[in-house]
Amino acid sequence: MNLISHYISGAEHRPSSTRTAPVYDPALGTESGRVALADETDIKAAIDSAKLAYPAWRDSSLAKRQQIIFKFRELLNERKPELAAIITAEHGKVLSDALGEITRGQEVVEFACGMPHLLKGEYSENASTNVDVYSTKQPLGVVGIISPFNFPAMVPMWFFPIAIAAGNTVILKPSEKDPSAALWMAKLWTEAGLPAGVFNVLQGDKESVDGLINSDDVAAISFVGSTPIAKYIYENCAKKGKRVQALGGAKNHMLVLPDADLDLVADSAINAGFGSAGERCMAISVVVAVEPVADEMIEKIVSRISQIKVGDGRRACDMGPLVTKEHRDKVAGYIEIAEADGAKVVVDGRSVVPDGDKNGFWLGPTLLDQVPTSSKAYQDEIFGPVLSVIRVSSFEEGLELINGGIYGNGTAVFTNDGGAARRFQNEVEAGMIGVNVPIPVPVAYFSFGGWKNSLFGDSRAHGEEGFRFFTRTKVITSRWLDPSHGGVNLGFPQN
Ligand code: NAD
């Protein structure tokens, strides 16, 4: 049996727990291995390893840390096809998309290479006579990263390069659905020269997560996943006074104004709706068409859907399977719900003929029109290749619909009217906005994060906020006496 285990103290770790969960090859529909689910002893081993490594890593020079991160970047860049193959085999996304995810993660590694600049403090000379005031940014200690299945490499890379650059030690708890990418990255860190224990991987489920959030030895948690779990993580960390950022789910809308370029709209809706089989937190799941464009737009989308090749991500395909059978069935269930609630199924992905094994977890691109906003198919995050169209009569109606939702991750407007785009970016309630760009994921030196139920906590991922999250500031007020010091004075200094 292929047992996917933990990585602790610079080596693969033999689990104490005998609990395991299946890991599938979604394009074949077969079990490819079993992932260890940590127990208390495994959790303690990971925390002890990170704790032990912390003092020396905290005190290592910025130059030394930078060299190791550079080396990690070089190795990752050279060997990313290996990692992409692992991602495709466990997640199902096509190889080119797996490579794309690694490249976006690598951008954060590259950003973290500039860490000496980002860790600089401030200095004020003579704040009072002969008194200098300065600040330093210090690491937090052991930090936990808990990641979702849909980006097994990129989402952990939103956090760990920065956490490590800032001098913290890390425990990554990847999704149990695709756990091997994390192990591969852990080995790469060791090859890059990272001291043992600075980066650990703890496999598991709720028990591992609770072990991390409840431990007094874990100083902070970065979480990405569905909204109910994000809320749970945020509330429980906050109760313990632990620093936390918890990124949750999404339901991203794309507003199409009557003057938009409908070919660009159709291409964008397809790419953003069906890329990675819709299993992206920045996927577009609702196209809000301001009439009279809906019919023409739908026609263009339908003709493009007919060209999408669904199949095994290792073959020349555009879209792979869904991650598990259970998830595939849940997503297909939403098509039934929409239909029962009065939506029109324009393209039905349930009848897809894939270029792949018949037992794979297949669901083709699906297009729904006139989805009622009262339907669960509109209200819930579906997280699959199901694109809904809603027709509205004005910009205002579209904006109101978007702002009425409980999520606020990303959104986009398609128009050639600069004034309308400007008003949209100003009034829409979401954290990441695209103007004629369907998936506005910020580059690494900006920060990633949504509003409302898409982010709990006040720090987003990467960019300067990432460094702020993984450090704490000290302000030092210092005076070196010279012969003219003024003697006893019980008041605040006046000059
Ligand atoms: P999930 O919430 O099921 O799992 C996320 C992590 O939480 C995993 O590591 C999992 O093991 C753990 N977990 C699951 N159940 C738990 C429980 N009861 N208690 C404690 N921990 C638990 O999410 P998923 O299905 O892996 O990922 C898809 C979700 O992630 C979608 O909702 C998507 O929108 C969201 N996501 C959000 C972003 C973002 O940036 N906002 C990015 C990627 C994914």
Side-chain angles (χ1 to χ4, degrees):
M1 180 186 62
N2 169 28
L3 179 69
I4 303 153
S5 187
H6 318 284
Y7 196 88
I8 294 174
S9 301
E12 281 200 55
H13 174 86
R14 221 175 130 181
S16 133
S17 156
T18 51
R19 284 197 311 133
T20 60
V23 176
Y24 296 100
D25 184 322
L28 301 177
T30 51
E31 199 175 296
S32 58
R34 305 219 34 118
V35 60
L37 301 176
D39 64 8
E40 217 179 307
T41 310
D42 298 316
I43 297 166
K44 185 172 181 314
I47 294 175
D48 286 350
S49 156
K51 250 175 90 177
L52 190 68
Y54 176 61
W57 185 243
R58 176 195 58 202
D59 292 340
S60 62
S61 71
L62 298 180
K64 165 109 180 137
R65 287 185 222 163
Q66 200 177 25
Q67 281 159 14
I68 294 171
I69 299 169
F70 260 114
K71 183 71 187 168
F72 180 82
R73 186 262 170 212
E74 287 309 301
L75 292 172
L76 181 66
N77 194 44
E78 270 167 33
R79 308 226 317 246
K80 58 181 138 183
E82 275 174 43
L83 180 56
I86 291 171
I87 294 171
T88 296
E90 290 185 356
H91 176 282
K93 64 179 74 175
V94 298
L95 274 174
S96 58
D97 195 33
L99 278 171
E101 120 160 51
I102 300 164
T103 302
R104 294 309 305 263
Q106 186 178 314
E107 287 170 14
V108 184
V109 180
E110 286 157 4
F111 171 67
C113 288
M115 116 300 246
H117 179 69
L118 290 151
L119 291 173
K120 281 194 294 201
E122 295 172 317
Y123 197 105
S124 290
E125 196 175 48
N126 275 334
S128 187
T129 307
N130 289 336
V131 173
D132 302 332
V133 180
Y134 50 97
S135 62
T136 61
K137 293 179 190 170
Q138 298 196 335
L140 307 174
V142 176
V143 299
I145 299 168
I146 300 159
S147 57
F149 81 83
N150 66 319
F151 285 113
M154 182 186 79
V155 165
M157 279 195 270
W158 282 352
F159 305 102
F160 69 63
I162 295 177
I164 290 173
N168 301 283
T169 56
V170 170
I171 301 170
L172 168 62
K173 205 304 279 172
S175 166
E176 59 276 44
K177 296 194 179 99
D178 44 14
S180 297
L183 268 188
W184 188 91
M185 293 189 289
K187 289 178 194 157
L188 207 69
W189 273 121
T190 300
E191 213 177 312
L194 192 72
V198 176
F199 183 78
N200 307 275
V201 176
L202 179 71
Q203 307 286 6
D205 53 6
K206 180 173 166 50
E207 190 170 339
S208 307
V209 171
D210 287 343
L212 294 177
I213 65 176
N214 291 326
S215 167
D216 291 335
D217 291 321
V218 176
I221 294 284
S222 297
F223 171 88
V224 180
S226 59
T227 289
I229 312 294
K231 227 170 154 215
Y232 167 81
I233 302 279
Y234 177 74
E235 287 171 359
N236 283 285
C237 287
K239 258 187 224 155
K240 287 191 74 77
K242 201 185 290 286
R243 189 176 290 203
V244 56
Q245 52 183 176
L247 285 72
K251 185 92 187 181
N252 306 313
H253 295 62
M254 165 171 158
L255 182 65
V256 179
L257 300 189
D259 69 336
D261 175 334
L262 290 188
D263 285 304
L264 175 67
V265 165
D267 287 340
S268 303
I270 291 279
N271 297 342
F274 304 126
S276 199
E279 293 168 328
R280 286 181 181 147
C281 65
M282 288 292 276
I284 290 292
S285 50
V286 184
V287 182
V288 183
V290 179
E291 291 293 33
V293 296
D295 286 337
E296 190 184 343
M297 181 193 78
I298 286 174
E299 207 176 291
K300 286 177 185 288
I301 294 177
V302 171
S303 82
R304 284 162 173 80
I305 289 181
S306 63
Q307 294 160 26
I308 295 178
K309 200 167 158 197
V310 176
D312 189 320
R314 290 159 286 224
R315 302 182 191 170
C317 294
D318 304 304
M319 198 183 107
L322 273 77
V323 69
T324 56
K325 179 171 184 317
E326 189 190 17
H327 187 56
R328 183 254 167 234
D329 292 348
K330 184 173 165 211
V331 174
Y334 277 108
I335 306 174
E336 270 162 46
I337 292 173
E339 209 170 10
D341 289 344
K344 192 172 151 202
V345 183
V346 184
V347 179
D348 192 340
R350 290 171 294 189
S351 50
V352 72
V353 181
D355 177 12
D357 193 282
K358 65 176 186 349
N359 294 317
F361 309 139
W362 308 111
L363 185 66
T366 297
L367 187 65
L368 306 174
D369 187 17
Q370 298 177 35
V371 181
T373 53
S374 54
S375 172
K376 272 177 79 63
Y378 171 69
Q379 290 170 356
D380 293 358
E381 179 183 37
I382 297 178
F383 220 58
V386 179
L387 190 60
S388 299
V389 174
I390 292 192
R391 298 163 182 241
V392 294
S393 57
S394 65
F395 172 92
E396 285 74 16
E397 198 189 331
L399 186 65
E400 198 180 323
L401 176 77
I402 297 172
N403 285 347
I406 59 166
Y407 299 106
N409 215 34
T411 184
V413 64
F414 279 71
T415 180
N416 281 313
D417 179 341
R422 192 169 179 280
R423 189 174 157 203
F424 182 81
Q425 72 169 51
N426 180 257
E427 294 182 19
V428 78
E429 292 171 13
M432 294 169 283
I433 319 297
V435 176
N436 296 318
V437 171
I439 305 194
V441 173
V443 287
Y445 42 94
F446 281 79
S447 297
F448 182 109
W451 285 16
K452 303 202 270 190
N453 280 359
S454 296
L455 172 67
F456 300 91
D458 49 14
S459 297
R460 296 171 298 162
H462 59 71
E464 286 187 25
E465 279 186 40
F467 272 93
R468 214 173 306 138
F469 182 80
F470 286 117
T471 55
R472 30 182 190 182
T473 303
K474 253 181 198 164
V475 181
I476 298 116
T477 303
S478 96
R479 174 170 60 192
W480 290 100
L481 295 184
D482 71 14
S484 65
H485 80 92
V488 172
N489 180 354
L490 299 190
F492 283 120
Q494 301 289 320
N495 49 46

